[in-house]
Every structure is written in structure tokens, then in C-alpha cells.
Amino acid sequence: MHELSIALSLVDLAQEEAGRQGGRICAVHVRIGPLAGVVPEALLASYEMASFRTPLEGSRLVIEQVPLVVFCPSCQAQRPLDSVQSFCCPECGTPTPQVDHGRELELVALEIET
Ligand SMILES: [Zn+2]
């Protein structure tokens, strides 16, 4: 359960921040890319388990999924990809190993009630 360990560290981070700011957390916003290897549904379920009997119990986990974006060396431009199956520029077909977005797994915001 890879997602559970992620959820546990999110809960830890959020609790620390809530402690610093003083207040109750009502929502935790995260950003996840398709290459982060996280299944959003599994993370939501894990979050509920991870926050159980913590000050975060009952708070919401809000997942923002970021698109996969690669950099094409031929076009010298960023190109969004629809699938993670092929890392080729959708405009010119050049294979590109450079992923600019898609590996994100980050805590972006906390909603805190004071
Ligand atoms: Zn291209």
C-alpha cells in the first residue's frame, strides 16, 4: 500500500503546519501527475484511514491532477501528452525523454479554520 504511506506523510505534514498556524484543517490540497504512480481513488481511501483519530479526521483531501507535459527538442516547445504510453511529440513525432510536468506529488495548500 504505497498510497497509505503517502497519505500518512501528508497527514503528518498538514498536522505540523496546523500546529504552526494554530487552527483546524478542513481540507488538504495535493497535486498529482500521471507519472507519480499514485491512484487518486486509493489515495483518497488511504487518507481517510491515515487521518482517522488525528486532528485531521473529517477533513477533505482535494486532488488536482496535473497533465503530462513533455519538452520536444525538435519544436523547442512544451507539448501536452494525452497518454503515458508513448513519449513522442504529438506535433512532429520526435521521441522525447524530457518530462516537464507529470511527476508531481506535492502538497499545494491547506484550508485552515481558525
Ligand atoms: Zn515536436
Side-chain angles (χ1 to χ4, degrees):
M1 277 293 276
H2 170 64
E3 279 84 1
L4 185 57
S5 62
I6 294 170
L8 285 167
S9 51
L10 284 175
V11 168
D12 274 356
L13 268 174
Q15 278 196 90
E16 247 174 59
E17 192 54 37
R20 246 195 306 272
Q21 301 198 14
R24 200 187 75 85
I25 293 186
C26 48
V28 175
H29 293 249
V30 293
R31 191 175 284 155
I32 294 175
L35 299 180
V38 173
V39 180
E41 293 75 28
L43 185 59
L44 285 172
S46 300
Y47 181 79
E48 230 168 86
M49 272 190 266
S51 59
F52 183 64
R53 289 192 178 156
T54 75
L56 273 83
E57 188 175 355
S59 65
R60 284 179 306 131
L61 180 66
V62 181
I63 297 177
E64 180 194 338
Q65 288 178 274
V66 292
L68 184 58
V69 175
V70 295
F71 184 82
C72 173
S74 297
C75 304
Q76 288 291 306
Q78 285 189 332
R79 302 287 188 203
L81 290 189
D82 293 335
S83 107
V84 295
Q85 304 305 318
S86 79
F87 287 81
C88 292
C89 173
E91 296 295 322
C92 70
T94 303
T96 170
Q98 191 184 330
V99 175
D100 282 1
H101 295 286
R103 294 201 172 95
E104 288 87 348
L105 171 52
E106 47 194 28
L107 184 63
V108 285
L110 297 174
E111 285 173 37
I112 299 180
E113 273 171 5
T114 49

